Amino acid sequence: MSDFLTQPIIDAKIPVGRSVATAFDWLQDTFIRAFDGIEASLRAMIGLLSSALQTPHPFIIIGAFAALTWLLQRRLAPVLIVTGCALFALNQGYWVLTMQTLTLVLASCVVCMGVGVPMGIFSAHHPRFYRALTPVLDLMQTLPVFVYLIPVLVLFGLGMVPGLVATVIFAMPASIRLTELGIRSTPKALSEAATAFGATTAQRILKVELPYAFPQIMAGLNQTIMLSLSMVVIAGLVGAPGLGVSIVRALNTVNAGLGFEAGAVIVAVAIMLDRMLRVEVKQ
């Protein structure tokens, strides 16, 4: 509803939607081969992770999870929790879907940490760059997922890849922010001492700053995993296999039992990954 006061403002509408549509049309026409290459690379990585998780017998995978938890935690309680959560997923008949969801989570973590950690290190050493990047990171996490899922679908089609890209966009800010915080929190005395002893910039980062920031980086990994798990339903809506498919099916059929069953397995996966990777490092 408008009147003579508001009509001039409405008539001078800023063409946000049209500009974004034009920009994505230009991207699709200009960089279609680049997007095809990215899609092929992501599909290859997803295929390798999926084969590694689904080919072995479930008990072998559960044993590997328990062994990894023991290596990281050196305590029996987390091993029992991880084993119990994995057995619960197997007991409920969701093993294959759970492995598909883990494939999406692990792939998103590889991309997020592979890009987010270097960008966080760079941001810690270039405060102006980080100040300019902060609004972009805020936008990535506050913009509704379905908004940027539309162009992602246009660029990559249906399947695991658009779900992975949307998950990466949503989860990457956590790895960048926490890595930047950890590197920036390194005491100046340590950095100055390393420089005084002749350490190069790369040596100072690798041998002083990264070890000191390791707890924050691991916290970023943990947050990335949790945020990725929160995206499994979105991934299911765009055709990605996994536990999200069961929840989407439960929504479509108004099946509360199926929804809570799949939701309980997602919670078990979240607990399993949290206990497995919650590494406490004393500084």
Side-chain angles (χ1 to χ4, degrees):
M1 186 175 181
S2 61
D3 53 32
F4 71 96
L5 292 175
T6 59
Q7 191 61 43
I9 299 177
I10 297 174
D11 292 339
K13 177 181 177 180
I14 300 173
V16 175
R18 186 167 65 250
S19 300
V20 171
T22 302
F24 273 99
D25 288 340
W26 177 79
L27 283 174
Q28 188 178 14
D29 295 337
T30 307
F31 299 103
I32 186 64
R33 292 185 179 179
F35 287 119
D36 289 342
I38 294 172
E39 182 180 6
S41 301
L42 293 177
R43 286 190 186 279
M45 179 177 65
I46 290 169
L48 289 174
L49 288 173
S50 180
S51 298
L53 290 173
Q54 295 186 48
T55 301
H57 192 276
F59 286 159
I60 296 176
I61 297 297
I62 294 173
F65 288 163
L68 179 60
T69 305
W70 174 257
L71 288 174
L72 294 174
Q73 304 288 349
R74 297 293 180 179
R75 291 185 295 118
L76 185 59
V79 175
L80 295 177
I81 293 173
V82 168
T83 303
C85 290
L87 288 173
F88 176 76
L90 180 63
N91 169 263
Q92 294 297 303
Y94 286 87
W95 182 257
V96 174
L97 295 178
T98 300
M99 293 302 102
Q100 291 170 343
T101 295
L102 279 177
T103 298
L104 175 64
V105 172
L106 293 177
S108 64
C109 287
V110 169
V111 177
C112 288
M113 301 306 289
V115 176
V117 172
M119 190 170 291
I121 295 172
F122 185 84
S123 299
H125 290 93
H126 299 81
R128 290 184 179 179
F129 172 79
Y130 186 65
R131 284 197 295 269
L133 183 65
T134 299
V136 179
L137 299 179
D138 294 338
L139 183 66
M140 290 167 67
Q141 289 196 305
T142 55
L143 192 69
V145 177
F146 291 100
V147 174
Y148 57 73
L149 195 60
I150 299 169
V152 168
L153 282 171
V154 173
L155 295 174
F156 298 105
L158 291 172
M160 184 74 84
V161 173
L164 173 61
V165 173
T167 302
V168 167
I169 293 173
F170 182 70
M172 187 180 292
S175 61
I176 297 175
R177 291 181 193 275
L178 288 171
T179 300
E180 188 274 339
L181 176 63
I183 297 295
R184 181 165 47 84
S185 300
T186 304
K188 290 184 178 180
L190 290 178
S191 299
E192 292 173 354
T195 303
F197 280 100
T200 64
T201 302
Q203 289 173 333
R204 188 177 70 248
I205 292 173
L206 291 174
K207 297 183 178 181
V208 177
E209 295 178 354
L210 281 178
Y212 190 88
F214 185 70
Q216 293 288 347
I217 294 173
M218 289 302 296
L221 174 61
N222 189 279
Q223 287 296 309
T224 300
I225 290 172
M226 296 301 111
L227 291 171
S228 299
L229 275 174
S230 70
M231 292 289 289
V232 295
V233 177
I234 304 299
L237 288 172
V238 296
L243 294 167
V245 174
S246 297
I247 295 179
V248 172
R249 187 179 299 119
L251 285 170
N252 291 334
T253 59
V254 198
N255 189 334
L258 178 62
F260 275 92
E261 195 174 74
V265 176
I266 292 175
V267 172
V269 172
I271 294 172
M272 179 180 71
L273 293 174
D274 179 67
R275 295 300 183 272
M276 185 187 301
L277 298 174
R278 183 179 289 180
V279 180
E280 297 180 0
V281 179
K282 295 182 180 180
Q283 300 188 30

